[in-house]
């Protein structure tokens, strides 16, 4: 085992070095506090590994993303979302018999209780769909108490999530919710539950979008699911915490903000240069939404695939002269030529083009992140399951460096 040496306050310490299957190197500092009476300090975890994981690999410099070793481009082209759900949660792509059994399990659990539909309808009409999804998610233990049979709880949640999304969509349109009729075919069933009809083009577009969003290693929401799961909170509470983390505009909420930004540029005459300047102005809080990434310092491979899909979907739908897409492409081109973005390796991420497709497919802007959550559910579950299966899994409890007042006494209020 390779070692790393640290010299601190005149004493030398050595720590184990672990190397992952793709050659990533980590220094195991778990004994640092006990041996050197010091902690590692990395507030946004930019250089900190919270776990080892066999689920997803990202090489941010090369723009590589693989689920369980399969390249995202390969999966987007040659698999279905049902197969990717199976792959992420169980570790292997299903064979024909396994897929058939999985599909019938998804069908068996596809319905949701009428009481839950009524519960959703009773929520404030002004409530953001991500807040509604989170409230439904955390209430599931009231309808389906976790049974101790983890696989049963997982398949049930995978089966029902599309109904929560369809329920939110139908509610937003003032339409009655329609229960699953064709659970054996996850995507066709979902599209029918949403729009009352389906088509091969719609199914292909949604299938690919959900595959592209299915997991992304230790992103903010997946790390939150692990954090909450480490307290042994149940599956639904852990996933609800992931929904809440994903909602933020720095994370999954960016897809809604991208469209709002593009529409703002469109309404402001379509000239992107003003917004490119604002994005570079440190005194301006405006950020180019859909650009930049903590890990990708090259193109987000998902953004490349979605950009092509955006053209195809808009063309299929006869919307190929979509001004918003034109503005997005002009913005992307201009940004990639600006020194500010080049110097910081800021490229379009998964959220930059997804909103354009979701809008073309009839998804309301405030439901874009709910669509992201539908895709990300198998990834969150896989991360939660992997953490819980860890023999030495302990509660997540980071340390801190205290910078507040040193000890002082309470004096009488008359003296304050
Ligand atoms: C997702 O982690 C994941 O895997 C997430 C995700 C997943 O699948 O789970 O990939 C999904 O969340 C994608 C990201 C969606 N968010 C957005 O598009 C919001 C806009 N992007 C930024 O807020 C930002 O890029 C983040 C949040 C994505 C990343 O933030 P970091 O890693 O903390 O980077 P940073 O803020 O330290 O930026 C480094 C520099 C700074 O400038 P300097 O201080 O060096 O001068 O780049 C600048 C930043 O100001 N910068 C931007 C920018 N993003 C970074 N400047 C303008 N516009 C931007 N979008």
């Amino acid at each position: 085992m390779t070692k790393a040496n640290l010299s601190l306050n005149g004493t030398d310490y050595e720590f184990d070095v672990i190397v992952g299957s793709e050659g990533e190197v980590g220094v195991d500092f778990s004994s640092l506090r006990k041996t050197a009476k010091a902690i590692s300090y990395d507030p946004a975890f930019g250089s900190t590994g919270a776990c080892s994981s066999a689920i997803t690999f990202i090489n941010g410099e090369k723009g590589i993303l693989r689920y369980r070793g399969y390249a995202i481009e390969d999966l987007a082209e040659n698999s279905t979302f049902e197969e990717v759900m199976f792959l992420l949660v169980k570790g292997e792509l299903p064979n024909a018999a396994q897929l058939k059994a999985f599909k019938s399990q998804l069908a068996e659990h596809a319905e949701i209780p009428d009481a839950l539909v009524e519960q959703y309808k009773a929520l404030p009409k002004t409530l953001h769909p991500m807040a509604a999804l989170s409230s439904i998610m955390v209430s599931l233990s009231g309808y389906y108490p976790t049974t101790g049979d983890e696989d049963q709880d997982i398949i049930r949640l995978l089966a029902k999530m599309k109904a929560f999304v369809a329920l939110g969509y139908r509610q937003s349109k003032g339409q009655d919710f329609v229960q699953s009729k064709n659970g054996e075919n996850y995507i066709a069933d979902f599209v029918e539950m949403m729009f009352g009809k389906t088509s091969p083009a719609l199914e292909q577009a949604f299938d690919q979008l959900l595959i592209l969003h299915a997991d992304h290693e230790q992103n903010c929401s997946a790390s939150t699911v692990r954090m909450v799961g480490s307290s042994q909170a149940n599956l639904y509470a852990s996933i609800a915490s992931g929904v809440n983390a994903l909602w933020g505009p720095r994370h999954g909420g960016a897809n809604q903000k991208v469209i709002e930004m593009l529409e703002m540029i469109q309404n402001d005459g379509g000239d992107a240069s003003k917004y490119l300047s604002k994005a570079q102005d440190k005194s301006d809080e405006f950020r180019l939404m859909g650009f930049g990434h903590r890990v990708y310092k090259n193109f987000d491979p998902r953004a490349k695939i979605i950009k092509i899909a955006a053209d195809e979907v808009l063309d299929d739908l006869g919307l190929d002269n979509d001004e918003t897409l034109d503005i997005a492409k002009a913005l992307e081109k201009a940004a990639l030529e600006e020194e500010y973005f080049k110097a910081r390796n800021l490229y379009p991420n998964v959220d930059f083009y997804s909103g354009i497709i979701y809008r073309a497919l009839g998804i309301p802007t405030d439901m874009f992140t709910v669509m992201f959550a539908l895709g990300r559910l198998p990834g969150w579950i896989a991360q939660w399951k992997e953490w819980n299966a860890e023999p030495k899994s302990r509660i997540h409890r980071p340390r801190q460096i205290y910078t507040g007042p040193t000890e002082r006494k309470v004096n009488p209020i008359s003296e304050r």
Side-chain angles (χ1 to χ4, degrees):
M1 167 81 74
T2 315
K3 299 287 183 184
N5 298 304
L6 172 71
S7 178
L8 184 65
N9 301 331
T11 306
D12 292 335
Y13 304 92
E14 71 173 20
F15 299 93
D16 290 343
V17 171
I18 56 175
V19 182
S21 54
E22 289 283 352
E24 293 166 306
V25 175
V27 179
D28 181 348
F29 276 131
S30 45
S31 63
L32 179 63
R33 193 167 188 277
K34 203 179 329 175
T35 55
K37 305 288 180 280
I39 60 168
S40 62
Y41 182 68
D42 181 18
F45 311 124
S47 299
T48 295
C51 61
S52 56
S53 177
I55 300 169
T56 292
F57 172 70
I58 300 174
N59 180 316
E61 287 64 34
K62 294 181 182 164
I64 292 172
L65 169 59
R66 298 190 197 122
Y67 300 159
R68 303 280 189 188
Y70 295 99
I72 192 65
E73 298 82 357
D74 197 354
L75 290 166
E77 188 68 32
N78 304 307
S79 76
T80 63
F81 184 56
E82 288 158 321
E83 289 174 284
V84 165
M85 285 196 278
F86 190 100
L87 171 67
L88 286 170
V89 172
K90 295 180 184 289
E92 295 296 335
L93 282 170
N95 59 32
Q98 289 166 326
L99 182 60
K100 187 170 183 303
F102 185 59
K103 288 162 84 80
S104 59
Q105 283 181 306
L106 291 172
E108 182 192 343
H109 294 286
E111 288 215 355
I112 59 176
D114 292 340
L116 191 149
V117 176
E118 292 314 308
Q119 175 187 336
Y120 194 104
K121 287 181 177 174
L123 293 170
K125 298 291 173 269
T126 52
L127 194 62
H128 191 284
M130 284 296 274
L133 179 62
S134 169
S135 67
I136 290 294
M137 186 62 67
V138 76
S139 72
L140 287 181
S141 51
Y143 295 97
Y144 308 104
T146 45
T147 57
D149 175 351
E150 186 180 272
D151 288 339
Q152 172 84 334
D153 296 339
I154 286 173
I155 193 76
R156 180 189 294 122
L157 185 52
L158 286 172
K160 293 182 191 301
M161 181 73 155
K162 70 179 196 285
F164 306 148
V165 176
L167 172 56
Y169 174 77
R170 302 285 289 189
Q171 190 64 7
S172 75
K173 297 286 182 187
Q175 297 166 345
D176 288 339
F177 170 67
V178 179
Q179 290 278 8
S180 161
K181 293 195 186 72
N182 169 20
E184 294 282 340
N185 184 333
Y186 184 93
I187 290 292
D189 196 27
F190 170 61
V191 175
E192 290 233 36
M193 289 168 75
M194 290 280 284
F195 308 115
K197 62 180 180 0
T198 185
S199 72
L202 276 176
E203 290 172 28
Q204 208 272 336
F206 278 113
D207 200 44
Q208 190 172 69
L209 282 164
L210 295 180
I211 290 171
L212 293 172
H213 286 84
D215 191 53
H216 214 238
E217 53 129 290
Q218 304 313 311
N219 57 83
C220 177
S221 53
S223 299
T224 304
V225 167
R226 281 180 175 256
M227 167 73 85
V228 172
S230 78
S231 74
Q232 294 181 325
N234 68 42
L235 173 65
Y236 310 123
S238 303
I239 300 300
S241 66
V243 171
N244 292 321
L246 185 73
W247 188 7
R250 282 180 169 172
H251 192 9
N255 56 16
Q256 173 176 345
K257 295 297 178 192
V258 167
I259 280 293
E260 290 169 359
M261 172 186 73
L262 294 173
E263 287 171 347
M264 179 172 62
I265 295 172
Q266 194 172 350
N267 297 334
D268 193 10
D271 174 12
S273 56
K274 179 171 115 180
Y275 293 89
L276 281 176
S277 306
K278 283 169 63 71
Q280 301 171 51
D281 177 356
K282 291 300 167 202
S283 64
D284 190 325
E285 64 179 21
F286 177 78
R287 279 280 205 279
L288 198 57
M289 299 314 283
F291 256 73
H293 199 278
R294 173 62 56 81
V295 176
Y296 287 121
K297 300 310 170 193
N298 194 323
F299 255 89
D300 179 336
R302 302 167 296 176
K304 281 186 186 171
I305 299 169
I306 291 180
K307 180 178 177 180
I308 295 166
D311 271 327
E312 289 166 359
V313 166
L314 292 170
D315 194 35
D316 275 348
L317 297 170
L319 303 169
D320 43 1
N321 61 353
D322 181 279
E323 195 186 341
T324 314
L325 179 61
D326 294 341
I327 290 177
K329 288 181 176 176
L331 194 58
E332 176 192 4
K333 184 175 180 305
L336 295 178
E337 287 162 2
E338 293 269 344
E339 188 45 38
Y340 174 91
F341 291 90
K342 287 196 287 192
R344 293 166 178 80
N345 296 309
L346 301 178
Y347 291 90
N349 57 49
V350 67
D351 293 310
F352 190 67
Y353 284 103
S354 56
I356 289 168
I357 298 187
Y358 284 139
R359 192 184 62 167
L361 295 173
I363 304 293
T365 305
D366 65 0
M367 283 201 67
F368 289 177
T369 314
V370 170
M371 288 304 301
F372 193 143
L374 179 61
R376 187 51 55 88
L377 180 67
W380 284 333
I381 288 174
Q383 299 285 347
W384 179 86
K385 187 175 178 211
E386 186 177 66
W387 176 259
N388 280 347
E390 178 59 48
K392 304 191 298 297
S393 78
R394 300 168 68 206
I395 192 167
H396 278 186
R397 206 279 184 216
R399 293 287 182 155
Q400 62 164 26
I401 296 293
Y402 175 71
T403 57
T406 52
E407 187 175 8
R408 50 185 176 166
K409 295 288 181 208
V410 176
N411 56 7
I413 193 161
S414 58
E415 294 172 18
R416 288 180 208 157

